[in-house]
Amino acid sequence: MKRRRDSSHGKAAVMTDRDDVELSLGAEFEVFLNFRGPDTRLSFTDCLYHSMDGAGIHVFRDDEEIRKGEVIKGELERAIKNSTIFMPIFSKNYASSPWCLRELAFRLDCLRNRDDNTMILPIFFDVDPNDVKLKTGLYHDAFQKHEQKFGSNLVQQWKEALMEVAHVKGWDLKDTG
């Protein structure tokens, strides 16, 4: 845990890498990282997080898939709603995570239901935007499993969220190693 003061806003934040983040004095996260942990946590996402944090940017990322229940609420909900930039990092197994899909769909719902200046900046990590637009079969098996567990209505919302976000301009990072 670390304590930082944002000199430009005079706000302090106590930050951990978990969804039980404790915010004080009204501090908000500027960036919310939405990613599939096993794909990018120890590589790209970790590097991105530390680079932004080192530059004084308040970044939210979870440490592990530690969430309980099926609903986005509490500090996680506040971090998603109040972030200035929502940054989904699409990877090969992104769609296998119901939590990644929930967070993405939740953020899009927030955008539709209120007028704000949030930017969604997708990053395509070793996937093509067409994969995320569901024009290839990369996420097919994951969505079949989700339909069995969560039903077709919820899965359709997740698919629509993916396709909507994939239209926007993002970073296309191909794995070079």
Side-chain angles (χ1 to χ4, degrees):
M1 182 166 26
K2 54 187 157 181
R3 185 176 299 272
R4 289 197 353 214
R5 180 160 302 278
D6 178 349
S7 60
S8 65
H9 293 55
K11 298 175 183 175
V14 176
M15 297 187 293
T16 66
D17 291 338
R18 303 175 89 80
D19 66 346
D20 61 350
V21 173
E22 179 184 331
L23 298 175
S24 63
L25 302 177
E28 296 177 357
F29 290 97
E30 295 164 291
V31 176
F32 185 97
L33 296 178
N34 168 256
F35 62 98
R36 175 76 172 130
D39 286 358
T40 67
R41 178 185 318 283
L42 299 178
S43 58
F44 178 76
T45 300
D46 192 52
C47 181
L48 180 63
Y49 171 82
H50 288 292
S51 294
M52 287 191 289
D53 184 60
I57 298 170
H58 295 160
V59 180
F60 181 92
R61 70 164 184 189
D62 68 342
D63 187 32
E64 296 294 331
E65 299 213 11
I66 55 174
R67 301 179 183 85
K68 296 175 175 69
E70 302 287 322
V71 179
I72 293 175
K73 59 184 178 181
E75 297 298 334
L76 179 62
E77 178 180 354
R78 185 174 18 214
I80 293 171
K81 281 183 175 179
N82 295 331
S83 61
T84 305
I85 299 172
F86 184 85
M87 194 173 288
I89 302 170
F90 297 117
S91 58
K92 290 187 178 190
N93 294 305
Y94 179 92
S96 68
S97 169
W99 273 105
C100 285
L101 297 167
R102 278 188 190 104
E103 291 172 357
L104 179 67
F106 181 78
R107 188 60 188 120
L108 285 172
D109 283 343
C110 291
L111 281 173
R112 288 183 200 112
N113 295 323
R114 65 181 199 170
D115 185 26
D116 66 19
N117 294 325
T118 299
M119 175 188 302
I120 297 181
L121 181 61
I123 296 174
F124 302 95
F125 184 82
D126 205 22
V127 296
D128 188 87
N130 283 329
D131 295 324
V132 179
K133 291 177 190 177
L134 306 177
K135 292 184 177 182
T136 70
L138 182 64
Y139 292 162
H140 180 75
D141 290 342
F143 278 117
Q144 278 191 321
K145 291 177 186 175
H146 293 325
E147 280 195 26
Q148 293 171 0
K149 185 172 183 179
F150 301 107
S152 60
N153 288 338
L154 183 57
V155 170
Q156 186 59 36
Q157 291 173 12
W158 293 346
K159 287 179 177 180
E160 289 170 6
L162 281 174
M163 290 185 282
E164 184 175 338
V165 170
H167 282 295
V168 297
K169 297 251 183 222
W171 290 331
D172 188 357
L173 302 173
K174 297 293 183 204
D175 186 11
T176 59

